[in-house]
Amino acid sequence: MTIDPFSTLAELAAALDRRQISAVELAGLYLARIERANPKLNAFVAADAELALACARAADARRAAGLTLGPLDGLPIALKDLLEIEGRITGVGSAAWKDRRSTKTATVVERLLAAGMVPLGKTQMVEFAFGTWGTNPKLGMPWNPWDLATQRVPGGSSSGSGVAVAAGLAPAAIGSDTGGSVRIPAAINGITGLKTTGGLVSLYGAFPLSFSLDTIGPMTRSADDAALLLAAIAGADPRDPATLRAPGFDVAAARADASSLAGLRIAVLPEDQYPIEVHASERAAVGEAQRVLRELGAAVAERRLPLDFGELMRRNGQLIAAEAYSIHRDYIEDEPLPLGPAVRKRVLGGKQVSAADYIAALEHRRAARAAWIEWMRETDALLSPAVPFPACAAGEVDESVTPLASFTRAGNYLDACGLALPAGFSDNGLPLGVQLLGKPFDEATLLRIGRAFQQATDWHRRRPDLGAIGP
């Protein structure tokens, strides 16, 4: 049987259960696609065929013995190159660290392996995860697969993960999100991306950008797949104390009947509160999403937010820079190191943040989070654009600004959960995306809304034409 590489995880799991394909054959399918398409797309730093096939053979043996580990056993996954795997290279998107070998394994990776998943390799990313365009001047920017003639930004910092899933080089990937780094490449590449609440998923073994703001989340073809992955990676971990205070993820609620959204209240961010000018096609996508959600039974209405997304974006950036500088200060000013100039400049920006300013920023964040929780008492989700415009050409990038994070950074600053969903296409065939922000630890509600939206639309089923590079 021919397996569609753009299948969801749930569909691939069903094919494995019906013995229509083996885990080894499935891994081979994606490894072959990576081998053929990656020279153009640059989604992967490197595929790891040895590890993938070893894990796949073990999954087949378990299935033959009737000892399958669960719904993800034998399914391939791509990993952002900041997730440590002991003994293997983790370069964190930096040419300076191309030989950096991990001495530990990230909890997320351990849990994916415990679920029986098959790691295909590490995906490209913005250096040190500090950037939203998806650029990487030293290792190369992944190629957005929706336009093979003109290189367009893939979004970042989980750029390679977004491209890998969009191009069918992996059915799912793991990314990190500090200011939108899961949601932005998801929206730009036409896939689903979940930003989790801080503390829901362990950060142990994920190289940090910002201790306060980092989160780990799935990048998938569907919201249902995101729920499956989150169920595997969420949960308490004594090596990350923040997880010990977090409630569990309710996967049953996330995957409950989504034929109707009756009783749910979805607020819409008024356009006069947008922090940046938004392209007409992205505004139209938000309007169409409102129509679909109303037809599904949700109460959808504009509601003014007592917080300024523009201010939250700037304050989020200040915290990222300050904490990134504390992490990289020992070498960031070492000129001979092959570091990207834009990332170096961003990190050095944190040098200017005084201790008093940093403490004031943390206090402001605490107050803003409290205001968000209070405001959300009367709603279940906030709908907005995910990004202000579709993927622009690489030549149009201005590294001194971060417009793609205009709507996403607020989610990290407020410690909200967030979901980016495919929501249409521009006139020139580029993906459009919307964002839902929810209460802390209410991922189940966002995923249920996302599943309902995707049952009523087919945007997440669309795929780019890879032409000659598509096996």
Side-chain angles (χ1 to χ4, degrees):
M1 177 183 176
T2 300
I3 297 295
D4 182 359
F6 292 90
S7 298
T8 65
L9 291 176
E11 291 164 346
L12 293 174
L16 285 172
D17 286 342
R18 292 193 295 263
R19 306 295 199 271
Q20 293 170 328
I21 193 170
S22 69
V24 168
E25 291 168 334
L26 192 58
L29 167 68
Y30 287 104
L31 290 169
R33 291 181 66 81
I34 294 166
E35 183 178 12
R36 182 158 183 183
N38 203 57
K40 170 76 172 182
L41 299 181
N42 192 32
F44 282 81
V45 177
D48 193 336
E50 178 186 11
L51 177 62
L53 293 173
C55 291
R57 284 192 291 269
D60 284 335
R62 288 191 296 270
R63 184 164 272 104
L67 298 173
T68 303
L69 296 174
L72 299 176
D73 200 356
L75 298 181
I77 186 83
L79 303 172
K80 187 174 182 178
D81 191 30
L82 51 62
L83 294 171
E84 309 273 13
I85 302 178
E86 185 176 359
R88 284 177 159 74
I89 300 294
T90 303
V92 198
S94 181
W97 288 2
K98 62 182 177 63
D99 298 319
R100 176 184 176 276
R101 201 165 290 277
S102 298
T103 58
K104 58 187 172 184
T105 297
T107 298
V108 165
V109 176
E110 289 178 348
R111 290 180 174 174
L112 293 171
L113 292 173
M117 296 204 80
V118 176
L120 294 169
K122 297 286 193 72
T123 54
Q124 294 280 13
M125 55 181 283
V126 176
E127 190 170 26
F128 301 148
F130 203 171
T132 58
W133 293 108
T135 53
N136 190 318
K138 301 298 183 181
L139 298 181
M141 181 174 76
W143 194 292
N144 189 313
W146 291 93
D147 187 345
L148 296 184
T150 300
Q151 186 168 24
R152 296 182 178 274
V153 296
S157 63
S158 307
S159 49
S161 291
V163 169
V165 177
L169 307 189
I174 299 295
S176 66
D177 193 312
T178 309
S181 291
V182 161
R183 291 161 290 159
I184 292 167
I188 289 285
N189 288 285
I191 64 171
T192 301
L194 178 67
K195 182 262 172 203
T196 57
T197 310
L200 185 63
V201 178
S202 174
L203 295 175
Y204 177 81
F207 195 91
L209 170 61
S210 164
F211 303 112
S212 300
L213 300 162
D214 287 349
T215 62
I216 300 293
M219 303 175 72
T220 55
R221 304 210 65 80
S222 71
D224 190 57
D225 282 357
L228 286 171
L229 275 181
L230 184 56
I233 63 176
D237 176 13
R239 296 170 297 185
D240 181 352
T243 64
L244 304 180
R245 303 187 299 270
F249 169 58
D250 189 348
V251 66
R255 303 190 75 202
D257 178 29
S259 58
S260 171
L261 296 179
L264 289 181
R265 303 155 300 174
I266 299 176
V268 180
L269 186 68
E271 289 192 8
D272 66 358
Q273 286 199 286
Y274 286 3
I276 191 173
E277 183 178 352
V278 174
H279 193 275
S281 62
E282 298 285 4
R283 295 200 309 271
V286 173
E288 175 63 10
Q290 291 181 60
R291 183 193 66 77
V292 172
L293 293 168
R294 284 194 186 98
E295 288 187 355
L296 287 164
V300 182
E302 281 194 359
R303 186 174 171 221
R304 298 195 69 78
L305 186 69
L307 297 161
D308 182 332
F309 264 43
E311 181 188 15
L312 300 183
M313 183 181 95
R314 289 188 294 274
R315 288 182 176 275
N316 191 85
Q318 181 187 43
L319 277 177
I320 294 173
E323 295 184 356
Y325 179 71
S326 76
I327 294 164
H328 298 288
R329 61 184 175 178
D330 289 345
Y331 43 80
I332 197 65
E333 296 182 84
D334 185 352
E335 287 298 331
L337 276 182
L339 304 178
V343 167
R344 190 194 295 266
K345 184 176 181 179
R346 288 184 202 121
V347 174
L348 284 172
K351 187 177 182 180
Q352 311 307 318
V353 181
S354 69
D357 288 341
Y358 178 71
I359 292 169
L362 293 178
E363 180 55 36
H364 183 276
R365 186 185 181 214
R366 280 193 289 270
R369 288 164 66 186
W372 169 253
I373 291 169
E374 180 63 29
W375 188 81
M376 285 293 291
R377 291 182 189 277
E378 298 179 23
T379 193
D380 296 296
L382 173 64
L383 175 68
S384 76
V387 291
F389 47 80
C392 66
E396 298 172 21
V397 168
D398 180 351
E399 291 280 16
S400 69
V401 293
T402 55
L404 289 178
S406 297
F407 292 94
T408 55
R409 274 189 178 178
N412 300 80
Y413 195 77
L414 299 171
D415 207 16
C417 55
L419 183 65
L421 296 166
F425 288 86
S426 67
D427 289 342
N428 56 341
L430 299 173
L432 307 171
V434 296
Q435 172 182 252
L436 293 167
L437 291 180
K439 302 178 181 74
F441 301 109
D442 199 18
E443 283 81 359
T445 295
L446 291 194
L447 289 166
R448 181 170 165 243
I449 295 171
R451 288 176 55 245
F453 184 78
Q454 291 179 338
Q455 288 172 14
T457 62
D458 71 346
W459 305 121
H460 64 297
R461 289 288 188 183
R462 307 292 179 91
R463 61 187 70 189
D465 181 2
L466 298 182
I469 67 167

